[in-house]
C-alpha cells in the first residue's frame, strides 16, 4: 500500500455560512491521526469541507502537502473522504463503486482490478465485489467506502463521523481498522467524532472546535482531562464552563 501522508495547513481561513462564520488556523503534520471534536454546530464538518475543497474560503489559504490548493476543487486535491452515510451509489455493485475511485470512466486494466480486490480484502470484504450496497450492513457499506479511499491512494483521508450510526462493538472494530490502515499507509487521517472515547482510542492529536474556531489542540491521551480548554467541561457534561 502507498506510504506517506501530507501536511494540512489552514492559514487565516475564513468563511461565512448564512449567520454562521468560521475562522480557522490549523497546522497538522504529515502522517498524523487527528480527531476533530466539539459541540454540535461548532463547525467541524465545515473544517473538513474546507480541507476537502467542498467549501472555498472567502479569505485565507489552504495548503496540503506544501501546495496551495485554495482554488482547487475536491478532485484536484490529495484527499479522499468518507461521510457518515450515502457514500455509495445504490444501483452500482461494490466493485464498481470502488472502481469509481480509480477512474470515473471505469476504464480499468488488470492491475486496477487487482487493486480493487486487494482493497476489498484489506477491509475484510473478500468476495463482496458483486453485491449491491443494499445487500450490505451499515458497517460493511462503510468498509466499502474506506476501500474506495484506499484505491485512490491519496495522502489525506478525511472521515466525517463515519461510524456514528454503528453499534458500539462494530464501531470499535471500524476504529481499529482505521488505526491499522493509518499505520500501514502512513496517510494523514483526520476524523470528526462526537465521542471522546473514539478520539482517545485511536487519535494522536485532538482538535477542539467551538463557535467556528479551533479553541485548543493537543495530545489525545490527556486532552479530555484538561481544565484550560474553554467549553470543554460543558461539552463533556461536567459542571462548570
Ligand atoms: N451551507 C450552509 N449554509 C448555511 N449555514 C450552514 C451551511 N453549512 C453549515 N451551516 C451552519 O454552519 C454551522 C456549522 O455547521 P457544521 O456542520 O460545520 O457543524 P458541526 O460541528 O459539524 O455540527 P454537527 O456536530 O452537528 O455535525 C451550523 O450552524 C450549520 O447550521
Amino acid at each position: 500500500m502507498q506510504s506517506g501522508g501530507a501536511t494540512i495547513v489552514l492559514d487565516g481561513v475564513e468563511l461565512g455560512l448564512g449567520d454562521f462564520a468560521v475562522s480557522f488556523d490549523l497546522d497538522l503534520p504529515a502522517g498524523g491521526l487527528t480527531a476533530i471534536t466539539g459541540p454540535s454546530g461548532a463547525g467541524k464538518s465545515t473544517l473538513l469541507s474546507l480541507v476537502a475543497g467542498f467549501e472555498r474560503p472567502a479569505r485565507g489559504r489552504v495548503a496540503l502537502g506544501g501546495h496551495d490548493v485554495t482554488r482547487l476543487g475536491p478532485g484536484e486535491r490529495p484527499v479522499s473522504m468518507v461521510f457518515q452515510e450515502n457514500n455509495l451509489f445504490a444501483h452500482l455493485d461494490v466493485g464498481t463503486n470502488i472502481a469509481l475511485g480509480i477512474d470515473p470512466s471505469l476504464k480499468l486494466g488488470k492491475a486496477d482490478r487487482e487493486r480493487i480486490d486487494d482493497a476489498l480484502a484489506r477491509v475484510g470484504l473478500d468476495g463482496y465485489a458483486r453485491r449491491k450496497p443494499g445487500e450490505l450492513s451499515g458497517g460493511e457499506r462503510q468498509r466499502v467506502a474506506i476501500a474506495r479511499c484506499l484505491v485512490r491512494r491519496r495522502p489525506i483521508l478525511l472521515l466525517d463521523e463515519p461510524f456514528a450510526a454503528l453499534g458500539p462493538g462494530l464501531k470499535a472494530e471500524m476504529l481499529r481498522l482505521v488505526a491499522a490502515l493509518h499505520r500501514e499507509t502512513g496517510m494523514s487521517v483526520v476524523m470528526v467524532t462526537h465521542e471522546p472515547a473514539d478520539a482517545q482510542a485511536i487519535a494522536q492529536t485532538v482538535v477542539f472546535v467551538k463557535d467556528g474556531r479551533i479553541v485548543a489542540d493537543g495530545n489525545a491521551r490527556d486532552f479530555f482531562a484538561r481544565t484550560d480548554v474553554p467549553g470543554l467541561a460543558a461539552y463533556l457534561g461536567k459542571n462548570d464552563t
Side-chain angles (χ1 to χ4, degrees), residues 166-222:
L166 307 181
L170 190 50
K171 187 161 75 164
E173 200 181 300
M174 298 296 285
L175 288 170
R176 280 196 295 275
L177 175 63
V178 169
L181 293 174
H182 170 254
R183 268 195 310 277
E184 289 163 24
T185 63
M187 285 186 291
S188 306
V189 177
V190 183
M191 178 178 76
V192 169
T193 176
H194 269 111
E195 293 291 333
D198 294 357
Q200 266 171 330
I202 64 166
Q204 298 158 339
T205 304
V206 170
V207 170
F208 189 68
V209 178
K210 183 173 178 287
D211 300 331
R213 284 164 195 274
I214 294 167
V215 294
D217 61 71
N219 195 309
R221 211 171 317 127
D222 58 4

Side-chain angles (χ1 to χ4, degrees), residues 102-103 107-117 151:
I102 299 177
D103 180 0
K107 291 193 193 102
L108 303 181
K110 186 161 172 283
D112 295 323
R113 290 183 202 289
E114 281 172 9
R115 227 158 102 192
I116 293 169
D117 289 343
V151 298

Side-chain angles (χ1 to χ4, degrees), residues 16-22 24 37-49 55 84 160-161 192-194 209 212:
L17 291 166
D19 295 338
F20 188 75
V22 301
F24 293 129
T37 195
S40 186
K44 303 181 297 294
S45 295
T46 305
L47 194 159
L48 279 204
S49 293
E55 298 281 2
Q84 185 172 344
D160 194 354
E161 299 196 62
V192 169
T193 176
H194 269 111
V209 178

